[in-house]
Structures are given as C-alpha cells and as structure tokens.
Amino acid sequence: MLEKGCRVCGSTALVCFLDLGDQPHGHSLIETANINVFEPTYPLRANFCCECTTVQIDYTVPKKLMFEHYLYVSGTTYTLSKHFEKSTKRLISLYELSSRDLVVDIGSNDGTWLKYFKDYGLNILGIDGAKNIAKIANERGVETWPDFFNITVAEKILNQKGHAKLITAAGVFFHLEELHSVTNGVEKLLANDGVFCIQAIYLGEMIQNNKFDQIYHEHLTYWTLTSLEKLLEMHGLQIFYVRTLDIHGGSIEVHACKKGMREADASVAKMKMTEVNSGYLKFSTYEEFGKRVWAIKDLLIEMLQKFKKENKTVYAMGAPIKGATLLNSFKIQSDLIQCAVEVNPLKIGKYIPGVRLPILDETTVDPPSAYLLLAWNFLPELISKYKKFIVDGGVFILPVPIPKIIDRSNMASYLQEIEKS
C-alpha cells in the first residue's frame, strides 16, 4: 500500500532521497519448488518528512505477509544473546526490578531477551506476531502471545496481568504498521512509575557509515532521537534518558516514561544538539547519503569482478534481510557471488529472493576464496570465528561504509578493536 502521508505527523511533505527500485520482501525466501515462480515486488524508497524530520519508506507491505511466518531468530547469534544478557542486568539494577514486577517485550521473537529476565525471577510476557517463532519461545518456557501488539492487545494484557513496570522493544520499533496504536498501547499498559525501553538502529549511524542496506520493507521508519521524541510525546510519553549501543552496527537505547513522571537526563539534550549539528534534521544530508550509495555500488562491483577475472570464488556470509537489499539494489547475482552460507536452519536450503542465490549450510561447504559479509553487523564475532580462514589466505569483503578487504595483512587491527570492546 502506498502511503500518502508521514507515518508520524501525517504531513504530505515527503521527499524521496533514495530509490532502490522495486524489490521482493527480503525475508520471503524462495523454496526450491518455487524457483521458477516470480515473487511479487514492491517499491523501496526512502523519504524525509520536511515537517517532523522522520525518515521512512512510503510503501507498506502488509505485516501478516512479512511477519506471521518469520525466519529471523534472535538466539542464533552469540553477540546478540550476550547483548541481551548485559542489558537485562543493567535494567534490573537501574530500576530496581523485583519478582513482583511485570516485564513485557514487544516483538519478543524466540524469547532470548525475556529468558534472561525470567532467570532473575521476574514476571514476563512476550508478544510476537510470528506464530512459528512464538511457538519456539513458548517451548523454551517463555510465555509468548502470538499476536501483533497494539492498543487492543495492551488492554488484554492489562486485564489479565496488570500494568507493566518495564516494557521493552528491541529491534522492532521501526517495524510498526500500527505505529500510533502501538505507542498508545504502551502508554496505557505502562505503570505510573514504569519505563519503556526502546533499542533501535540509529539513523545517524546509518547515515555516517553509509549503511543503506538497513533500508528494507520491514523497516518502515528510521529514527533519530528528535523524530522518536515527537512520536512519543503525541501519546503522553516522555524520553528521559538515551545512550548509544554497538549492537546491529550502531543503535540507540531510549528510556521513556509517562509524561511528567521523571526528570530528563542531560543525555537527551546533548544528543538532540548533536543531531542538529550533524545535519540529521536537514534534507540535504540525506540527499548526499543517497549519492554515496551509488558510489559504493561501483566500487563493490569492480571488486567482485576482479575476483571473477582471477577465477576466485566468492560466497555471501549470511543471508540477512539487509543482504537482500544490497544484492537486489546493486543487481549482484550468481555470476559474481556463487551462494550464501548460513547457520540458521530456517534459511538453509532456500534462495534469496530476487537474485536467487542458494543458501547453503556453512558447515557442509568448502570455504571460498572470499566471503562478502552481508551480516557485517556481527563482524567481531565473524573475524574471531574465521580467524584461521583469514590467516590461511582467505579474505572478507566488507561492503560498508566503503568496500574494503580484510585479510591477514590487516586482520590484527580489527582483532585489536574487538579486544577493546
């Protein structure tokens, strides 16, 4: 469905700064039986709202099509699991949560985050519209309702379990087709002394480091603190604290409460001023970002063609949805990349939509000459895992912020960065 107004403020003053063309939904992987059936495609355009500064795509693929049978599983990556473990400990300590408190996680996936809260003895409830993933969570002992959170679901939780002391939304607040109903539901469900914790990919980091592949149909909105604050204030919520996170290649963690219940920390004003100074509230910043994307395409294609001329094999490392954006936007097909390798059993044996790259089990194939890191957000974990591959002469191709080679000559500098973190 083509959206005619801003998802936050309703303004029609939307200006496109990056048109990635018509693309299939990147997580609708192709079964072998359907390899000759063409999947539907949808416009993928990034727009800037000149009224409220929210960046967003202007076409909505129905949420049931994208999420009811989902392929992303939080628990498959060590990095993300450890991140959730640390976040749990920090939030429990910060807000003195106890066994009588209810924690609700919106878009809770396989329950990886909530499992840590449960281990501390808290009451937990996950809400996730992916029925197959919610089933996995429930089998792990993490109570999860297979539903899409909104004001109706919030009222149902309130009636059955009472107010929530902590509501979390990690990697989900840009997915929301019912954006205003969800935010209204959070305000209604939240206890008067409760906290709403959002962890989301930070738009500023995307712009600074050219992470255009984080634009895809599941991500309807892309947040700065300034734009997110405008949305929350419309529904009686107030941001009182913000911090940056390394997860997913650069994220923000925002803490909000019911309006007037807490004083704002200095971190809020500081980040908002940084956003002004960095140009994140101006269209020209995004226009320049759009131009850089196509320069990345030229460099990456040239690099891959060089490998091909030297008769070297290149596989894609991972088959994340952002990888589908990169491959389809740049029209990189099997003549340059032979396949993708994965550890997620829900993806193995299928094909990346559009470009039709086969997804193979990484444990069953011989290593190539090079891996194109589609899952670049887990670079530290991957370098540690594939250190011997690189020492033996293999290379990683990092596509963003600019295409570069990681090999045994420069691997040490990346390992040093990993050790520091």
Side-chain angles (χ1 to χ4, degrees), residues 90-91 94-95 97 102-107 113 117 149 164-174 176 179-200 223 225 228-229 231-233 235-242 252-259 261-262:
R90 175 167 48 82
L91 290 169
L94 191 59
Y95 298 115
L97 301 179
L102 173 66
V103 179
V104 175
D105 190 21
I106 301 171
W113 195 0
F117 283 107
F149 186 89
K165 184 68 175 288
L166 177 66
I167 301 175
T168 55
V172 70
F173 217 67
F174 29 63
L176 304 174
L179 184 60
H180 290 281
S181 179
V182 169
T183 313
N184 192 20
V186 168
E187 195 280 334
K188 190 174 187 67
L189 180 60
L190 196 65
N192 286 336
D193 61 345
V195 174
F196 179 34
C197 175
I198 301 171
Q199 293 185 354
W223 299 108
L225 181 65
L228 184 56
E229 183 178 60
L231 170 70
L232 297 184
E233 285 184 344
H235 295 277
L237 294 168
Q238 167 195 335
I239 294 174
F240 65 89
Y241 175 75
V242 63
I252 55 172
E253 180 177 285
V254 168
H255 296 190
C257 61
K258 292 194 173 186
K259 193 170 290 185
M261 296 303 296
R262 296 175 187 264

Side-chain angles (χ1 to χ4, degrees), residues 210-234:
N210 302 326
K211 296 171 180 177
F212 78 96
D213 51 350
Q214 291 179 317
I215 298 170
Y216 44 84
H217 293 112
E218 292 179 10
H219 286 179
L220 304 177
T221 48
Y222 305 82
W223 299 108
T224 61
L225 181 65
T226 302
S227 59
L228 184 56
E229 183 178 60
K230 289 176 181 177
L231 170 70
L232 297 184
E233 285 184 344
M234 292 171 70

Side-chain angles (χ1 to χ4, degrees), residues 167-421:
I167 301 175
T168 55
V172 70
F173 217 67
F174 29 63
H175 288 176
L176 304 174
E177 183 178 333
E178 298 179 90
L179 184 60
H180 290 281
S181 179
V182 169
T183 313
N184 192 20
V186 168
E187 195 280 334
K188 190 174 187 67
L189 180 60
L190 196 65
N192 286 336
D193 61 345
V195 174
F196 179 34
C197 175
I198 301 171
Q199 293 185 354
I201 292 169
Y202 184 47
L203 178 58
E205 177 67 26
M206 287 176 61
I207 298 303
Q208 289 296 322
N209 289 295
N210 302 326
K211 296 171 180 177
F212 78 96
D213 51 350
Q214 291 179 317
I215 298 170
Y216 44 84
H217 293 112
E218 292 179 10
H219 286 179
L220 304 177
T221 48
Y222 305 82
W223 299 108
T224 61
L225 181 65
T226 302
S227 59
L228 184 56
E229 183 178 60
K230 289 176 181 177
L231 170 70
L232 297 184
E233 285 184 344
M234 292 171 70
H235 295 277
L237 294 168
Q238 167 195 335
I239 294 174
F240 65 89
Y241 175 75
V242 63
R243 61 180 288 167
T244 58
L245 304 169
D246 291 333
I247 198 71
H248 297 307
S251 302
I252 55 172
E253 180 177 285
V254 168
H255 296 190
C257 61
K258 292 194 173 186
K259 193 170 290 185
M261 296 303 296
R262 296 175 187 264
E263 289 188 13
D265 181 79
S267 59
V268 178
K270 183 179 179 181
M271 180 170 281
K272 286 165 66 178
M273 182 56 65
T274 298
E275 291 180 347
V276 171
N277 294 336
S278 300
Y280 299 155
L281 312 188
K282 299 189 301 183
F283 174 72
S284 59
T285 299
Y286 301 96
E287 192 173 31
E288 289 301 314
F289 165 76
K291 293 175 183 177
R292 294 197 300 272
V293 169
W294 302 119
I296 291 171
K297 174 186 177 182
D298 294 340
L299 290 171
L300 183 58
I301 294 294
E302 180 182 351
M303 191 177 286
L304 294 173
Q305 287 175 338
K306 185 174 186 292
F307 277 93
K308 181 180 179 180
K309 288 177 183 177
E310 295 173 354
N311 293 316
K312 294 179 177 178
T313 53
V314 181
Y315 296 169
M317 174 61 71
I321 188 170
K322 63 176 172 287
T325 291
L326 185 145
L327 296 172
N328 283 300
S329 297
F330 292 173
K331 296 180 171 51
I332 296 173
Q333 298 179 303
S334 58
D335 60 323
L336 296 177
I337 305 285
Q338 287 71 56
C339 67
V341 295
E342 259 288 351
V343 296
N344 183 345
L346 297 179
K347 296 183 179 183
I348 293 168
K350 299 181 175 64
Y351 292 77
I352 295 175
V355 294
R356 290 295 199 279
L357 285 187
I359 304 170
L360 306 180
D361 185 339
E362 71 171 53
T363 65
T364 65
V365 295
D366 293 330
S369 307
Y371 286 110
L372 173 62
L373 295 190
L374 299 183
W376 49 257
N377 50 313
F378 296 116
L379 177 62
E381 181 176 335
L382 293 172
I383 286 185
S384 296
K385 181 177 179 180
Y386 286 88
K387 182 179 179 180
K388 185 178 185 302
F389 165 76
I390 298 173
V391 169
D392 289 345
V395 302
F396 280 175
I397 303 170
L398 191 63
V400 295
I402 58 171
K404 65 174 66 174
I405 296 291
I406 300 175
D407 59 18
R408 57 191 172 197
S409 72
N410 61 3
M411 179 180 66
S413 63
Y414 288 92
L415 288 172
Q416 287 172 4
E417 289 299 315
I418 293 167
E419 290 169 2
K420 287 179 184 177
S421 62

Side-chain angles (χ1 to χ4, degrees), residues 35-168:
I35 193 65
N36 295 317
V37 179
F38 287 97
E39 65 273 30
T41 59
Y42 314 94
L44 187 56
R45 295 183 294 255
N47 297 265
F48 176 81
C49 176
C50 297
E51 291 293 330
C52 72
T53 75
T54 303
V55 169
Q56 58 206 278
I57 61 172
D58 63 1
Y59 192 91
T60 303
V61 179
K63 63 178 185 283
K64 289 190 175 182
L65 187 153
M66 293 194 291
F67 297 116
E68 272 202 339
H69 186 83
Y70 206 42
L71 300 178
Y72 177 79
V73 183
S74 300
T76 57
T77 58
Y78 173 82
T79 302
L80 189 57
S81 182
K82 292 301 292 182
H83 162 76
F84 282 143
E85 182 180 15
K86 291 178 182 178
S87 295
T88 300
K89 186 175 181 180
R90 175 167 48 82
L91 290 169
I92 288 175
S93 175
L94 191 59
Y95 298 115
E96 300 179 339
L97 301 179
S98 67
S99 59
R100 66 181 180 275
D101 294 322
L102 173 66
V103 179
V104 175
D105 190 21
I106 301 171
S108 52
N109 200 265
D110 66 350
T112 296
W113 195 0
L114 279 179
K115 177 79 166 54
Y116 290 114
F117 283 107
K118 183 179 180 181
D119 290 345
Y120 276 94
L122 277 76
N123 296 314
I124 59 166
L125 176 65
I127 307 295
D128 200 292
K131 294 178 180 178
N132 63 318
I133 304 297
K135 183 174 183 289
I136 293 172
N138 281 308
E139 288 172 349
R140 296 179 64 196
V142 176
E143 183 182 359
T144 304
W145 292 1
D147 210 341
F148 295 100
F149 186 89
N150 55 22
I151 183 62
T152 302
V153 173
E155 290 171 344
K156 183 178 176 183
I157 298 171
L158 194 58
N159 289 335
Q160 293 189 25
K161 296 180 178 291
H163 287 97
K165 184 68 175 288
L166 177 66
I167 301 175
T168 55

